[in-house]
Amino acid sequence: DQQVKQNSPSLSVQEGRISILNCDYTNSMFDYFLWYKKYPAEGPTFLISISSIKDKNEDGRFTVFLNKSAKHLSLHIVPSQPGDSAVYFCAASRWGGAQKLVFGQGTRLTINP
Amino acid sequence: DTGVSQDPRHKITKRGQNVTFRCDPISEHNRLYWYRQTLGQGPEFLTYFQNEAQLEKSRLLSDRFSAERPKGSFSTLEIQRTEQGDSAMYLCASSSRQLNTEAFFGQGTRLTVV
């Protein structure tokens, strides 16, 4: 069973606009969520995280929103830049930190000039 | 410290052969994880160590897989009698127990079983 789902395999956004990547989860025991970015031939790189006690966390151009009642989180990137083109994974943990992560399938984001 | 290091980056092996991968975590991290990623999917958790103790193994990890972390430093993942279905990217990650807000990933070892 897919406990973390990213239903959009790909997303194309114009440079300078907002990119919104979505993620849904089914396990109500998850209490910590992360977003990773992955370039080809590299390992995932951590972007931003959020604990279930919060509903928003912001770091520069990146903001993550968590809606626990809907079991939904989203990553907003604004403004989008060409270097943001990559595959984005959301991940969840039920252990309060970055351990034993359950990943979604990923969304390929393409930023068009 | 240059981050999590994995070796080799690529491995091609014949079905039935044994392979071993190495991971060197960030030096002050006491937690180490192995994940496997297949095409079009996100990484899947395989196993994790706290210091030298292997605390959990996923059901994905068959008896042909074994992992060790002697002395709580580097870790090895061995696959015996490889099968074509073992072809994947094997990712290692590490984190600190004290500051467990993110896991740092290595670049991975891509295994191809022919």
Side-chain angles (χ1 to χ4, degrees):
Chain A
D1 64 331
Q2 191 75 28
Q3 297 186 70
V4 178
K5 297 180 182 180
Q6 294 176 255
N7 291 317
S8 298
S10 62
L11 176 67
S12 185
V13 174
Q14 193 170 3
E15 182 179 358
R17 305 295 291 268
I18 184 171
S19 297
I20 300 176
L21 297 102
N22 294 303
C23 179
D24 297 295
Y25 62 95
T26 57
N27 190 337
S28 58
M29 299 294 290
F30 288 144
D31 59 6
Y32 192 75
F33 304 88
L34 308 89
W35 283 94
Y36 280 85
K37 177 170 72 174
K38 187 178 184 303
Y39 293 120
E42 294 185 11
T45 302
F46 172 77
L47 277 176
I48 193 168
S49 63
I50 187 167
S51 166
S52 61
I53 62 173
K54 296 183 175 181
D55 54 18
K56 177 182 175 181
N57 189 26
E58 191 172 354
D59 184 2
R61 297 187 298 116
F62 302 93
T63 303
V64 56
F65 296 91
L66 175 62
N67 182 334
K68 288 188 292 294
S69 61
K71 295 190 178 66
H72 178 84
L73 66 157
S74 60
L75 174 69
H76 292 208
I77 306 173
V78 57
S80 300
Q81 300 174 353
D84 296 330
S85 294
V87 178
Y88 288 77
F89 293 97
C90 70
S93 167
R94 51 182 293 191
W95 308 104
Q99 58 193 89
K100 292 168 56 179
L101 299 175
V102 179
F103 283 83
Q105 309 97 307
T107 297
R108 180 177 299 279
L109 175 65
T110 302
I111 306 301
N112 302 307
Chain B
D1 190 346
T2 57
V4 179
S5 177
Q6 292 188 245
D7 184 71
R9 293 289 307 278
H10 304 275
K11 179 70 177 179
I12 300 174
T13 191
K14 292 184 178 179
R15 189 175 54 183
Q17 297 294 305
N18 299 343
V19 294
T20 300
F21 310 140
R22 177 181 171 122
C23 171
D24 288 273
I26 293 172
S27 57
E28 62 269 25
H29 286 179
N30 52 8
R31 288 180 170 169
L32 185 147
Y33 315 86
W34 286 98
Y35 289 83
R36 179 173 66 190
Q37 184 179 17
T38 53
L39 198 62
Q41 301 296 317
E44 295 175 294
F45 169 77
L46 293 179
T47 188
Y48 108 91
F49 293 83
Q50 183 160 300
N51 300 312
E52 66 276 9
Q54 187 174 20
L55 296 187
E56 187 164 339
K57 291 172 60 173
S58 164
R59 292 171 295 170
L60 294 173
L61 219 59
S62 76
D63 291 344
R64 297 184 295 105
F65 289 70
S66 62
E68 293 182 342
R69 192 183 182 196
K71 303 178 183 177
S73 55
F74 71 92
S75 175
T76 58
L77 178 68
E78 180 183 16
I79 309 174
Q80 296 182 325
R81 304 181 303 281
T82 52
E83 302 173 355
Q84 285 189 321
D86 297 332
S87 296
M89 174 75 81
Y90 289 84
L91 293 161
C92 176
S94 69
S95 70
S96 164
R97 187 169 67 90
Q98 290 76 18
L99 189 64
N100 195 26
T101 54
E102 60 180 286
F104 294 81
F105 282 82
Q107 293 180 300
T109 294
R110 178 165 296 284
L111 173 66
T112 302
V113 181
V114 297

